[in-house]
Structures are given as C-alpha cells and as structure tokens.
Amino acid sequence: MDIYLFLVIVHLIGTALGVGGATFIEIFLTKALRDGHVDPIESDFLKTTFTVVRAGLILALLSGFGFLLYYQLNGQAFKLYNPLLWAKLTIVIIIAANALLLQAHKISLYWGSAFSFVSWYGALIIGVFLTNAKSYSYFEVMLYYVIAVIAGSIILDLIRKSFSAKA
Amino acid sequence: MITPLLTFSLILHVILGIVGVAASYAVWLELLKKSPSLSFLKKSSLISFFSYLLSWLSGGYYYVVYYGDIQKPKIIAGAYPWAHKIFTEAKEHIFLFLPFAVLALLIVIWKGNQDLSQNEGLRKGAAFLAGVITVLGLLIALAGIIISGAVR
C-alpha cells in the first residue's frame, strides 16, 4: 500500500468517526433532553461518543498534516495555498475552540451543538471539494459556513422542541 | 537534494508538532474541569513536553542543514518572500521558548498534584498557560504550512 492511499484511508476513518460521532451526540442529546434532564446512562453514552469524536479529530488531524507533508515532499507545494484548505483548517480550529467553550460553559448548548454538528459536516464537504479540485474563495466558503451554522442552529432547536413536545 | 535523514526529520518535526499541540490542547480542556483527572493531566503534559521538544530538535536540524541554504533563497526569490521574512522569522523566535513553557506546565502539574483540584487559582493559572502554549503551537503549525507552500 502506498503512503497516499494509507493517508486517505486514515483520513476517511477519522472523518467518519467525527461526523458519525457529532451526529450521534445530537441524537443522544435530543433523546436525553426530552424529559428535561440527562440521567447517568444517557450521560455515559454522551461521554463515550465525545471520546469517539475526539479520536476521529486526532486521526483526521494527523492524516491531514500527513497530506500536507506529502504535497511538500512531492513537488505539489502550491496545493498548500488552496483557499479551500484554509477554510477547512479554520473550521477544524472552530471545532476545537467550540469544545473548549462547551467545557468551560462559555457557550450555550443552542450554539455549541450547532457549531459542532455543522462544522463536522462542513469539513467533510470541503474535503470532497478539495478532492474534486473545485474552486471557491476563502470568504465565499466561510460565508456559506456562517449561513449553515445559523440555519443548523434553528433546525436543531426545532427538532429538539418537537421531540420535547411529544414526550 | 533532500536526503532520507532530512525527510525523516521534517516528518518528525510536523507530526510531533501536531501531537504536541493536540496534547497541550487536551491538558487545557482537562484543566477547565472543576475536578480534573490528575493521571490524565500527567500523561498528556508528558506527551506534550516530549513531542514539542523532539519537534523542536528535528525542526532545528532541518533548518540548519537544509532550509537555510536550499529553501530560504528559493522563497526569497519567489512570489511569496514574506513567507520567510514574516512567518519563518516569527516561527523560529516563538518556537525557541515553547518547550520551556511546556516544561513549566509539566512541573506545575507533576508538583502541583492534588492542589490542582483544590486550589482554583492554580488550576486557572495552569489552564491559562496550557492555552497560551496551545495557541502558540497552533500558530506555529499554520506558519509552517504557509512557509512550505511558498517553496516552489
């Protein structure tokens, strides 16, 4: 197996764990908050899923930097100035900063879960665009991202409210 | 021509740098909890210290043997001379004190021990130091991408 294929596989596994984990955090959270509080079993499920997301982030980060090294060592350094790559890096930093803010209780669940959920899907979609050599400016991508976070926060809140009403 | 040893030192510099940032981020995240796990903090701070230190040494070797003579002139003569003039210059000076800052954090965690859960001021101070280390490490990593991208 060549090194590039290995990096692709590790990056895909990391992204799958991150995106899948972020999705399940939303599902568990919606179900847990139906009765207004998170019981110990629900809390345990959430903690396990957070660990899975963090493992995914580490795998995606290490393989992502592996790609950057690969480009540098194989005469493709121009790829490091791709605006999509910088948009993806910005979103990964937002994922990490959001986790810190949630831990420190400095961000509400309304925005925290929207940032986490939308950012993981955003990074996935930008990754697909990068692979398929799509061309967008950095600010264009970040504008779409901000719109997606706002729309995501409203949709996730509506889903949570509809489940709470049914309970 | 880049030798296998130089390639290895560059790979080590980048990967261990990222591991260092991730480990100091984990320390920061844990110190934000009211009752942080001391065993987790000790392991993470140790990984962080050795990762930054080895990344520092391997990056230094790459810089002295290869970057200064081969890559720096290419960047200066290329389309992005600011990548060296601003980012390499900033990176090499900030990176100088980073392992010492991580060593200070390591000592606080290993010597502070039980005090970290009982003394809120100490925990918050250590969290601030871990935060500064993580942000600087991250900025250095981003500067590394900018510098690498300018070599064409």
Side-chain angles (χ1 to χ4, degrees), chain A residues 54 57-58 61-62 65-66 68-69 72-73 77-81 85-86 89 93 95-101 103-104, chain B residues 2 7 10-11 14-15 18-19 25 28-29 32-33 62 71 80 82-83 138 141-142 145-152:
Chain A
R54 281 171 196 162
L57 183 63
I58 289 169
L61 210 59
L62 286 174
F65 273 84
L68 304 184
L69 261 171
Q72 220 259 330
L73 294 168
F78 65 91
K79 288 187 175 175
L80 304 186
Y81 279 14
L85 170 76
W86 284 89
L89 283 169
I93 291 169
I95 291 173
N98 186 49
L100 280 165
L101 291 170
Q103 183 84 283
Chain B
I2 189 163
T7 306
L10 180 63
I11 292 169
V14 173
I15 298 300
I18 293 304
V19 171
Y25 172 78
W28 188 11
L29 204 62
L32 290 175
K33 289 182 184 169
Y62 181 82
Q71 295 204 306
Y80 312 100
W82 45 264
L138 182 68
L142 296 176
I145 301 172
I146 293 170
I147 297 159
S148 299
V151 187
R152 306 194 190 174

Side-chain angles (χ1 to χ4, degrees), chain B residues 3-127:
Chain B
T3 63
L5 182 61
L6 282 164
T7 306
F8 179 71
S9 67
L10 180 63
I11 292 169
L12 210 62
H13 171 63
V14 173
I15 298 300
L16 287 178
I18 293 304
V19 171
V21 174
S24 59
Y25 172 78
V27 171
W28 188 11
L29 204 62
E30 191 64 24
L31 282 168
L32 290 175
K33 289 182 184 169
K34 285 203 170 133
S35 306
S37 155
L38 287 172
S39 136
F40 180 82
L41 282 175
K42 283 183 174 178
K43 282 181 210 155
S44 302
S45 59
L46 204 61
I47 292 170
S48 177
F49 173 67
F50 282 108
S51 300
Y52 277 122
L53 186 68
L54 291 174
S55 175
W56 190 54
L57 292 172
S58 55
Y61 174 76
Y62 181 82
Y63 182 92
V64 170
V65 177
Y66 189 70
Y67 178 88
D69 292 338
I70 311 289
Q71 295 204 306
K72 181 179 151 186
K74 277 188 198 169
I75 297 173
I76 301 284
Y80 312 100
W82 45 264
H84 174 82
K85 287 177 182 168
I86 299 171
F87 290 98
T88 310
E89 291 293 337
K91 186 178 167 169
E92 69 187 49
H93 288 96
I94 295 168
F95 209 172
L96 276 179
F97 68 80
L98 206 50
F100 299 101
V102 190
L103 180 64
L105 181 65
L106 184 81
I107 292 168
V108 167
I109 288 170
W110 281 73
K111 288 278 175 192
N113 230 339
Q114 295 299 329
D115 289 347
L116 278 168
S117 359
Q118 288 149 12
N119 185 340
E120 202 182 333
L122 180 66
R123 181 176 61 80
K124 283 187 175 171

Side-chain angles (χ1 to χ4, degrees), chain A residues 51-125:
Chain A
T51 308
V52 170
V53 173
R54 281 171 196 162
L57 183 63
I58 289 169
L59 286 178
L61 210 59
L62 286 174
S63 54
F65 273 84
F67 281 125
L68 304 184
L69 261 171
Y70 181 88
Y71 297 144
Q72 220 259 330
L73 294 168
N74 288 281
Q76 300 174 52
F78 65 91
K79 288 187 175 175
L80 304 186
Y81 279 14
N82 188 333
L84 280 174
L85 170 76
W86 284 89
K88 192 174 174 184
L89 283 169
T90 307
I91 291 174
V92 171
I93 291 169
I94 290 172
I95 291 173
N98 186 49
L100 280 165
L101 291 170
L102 280 166
Q103 183 84 283
H105 303 288
K106 299 280 185 199
I107 191 170
S108 65
L109 191 64
Y110 180 91
W111 286 111
S113 71
F115 270 115
S116 171
F117 189 78
V118 173
S119 298
W120 269 106
Y121 277 90
L124 171 83
I125 293 164

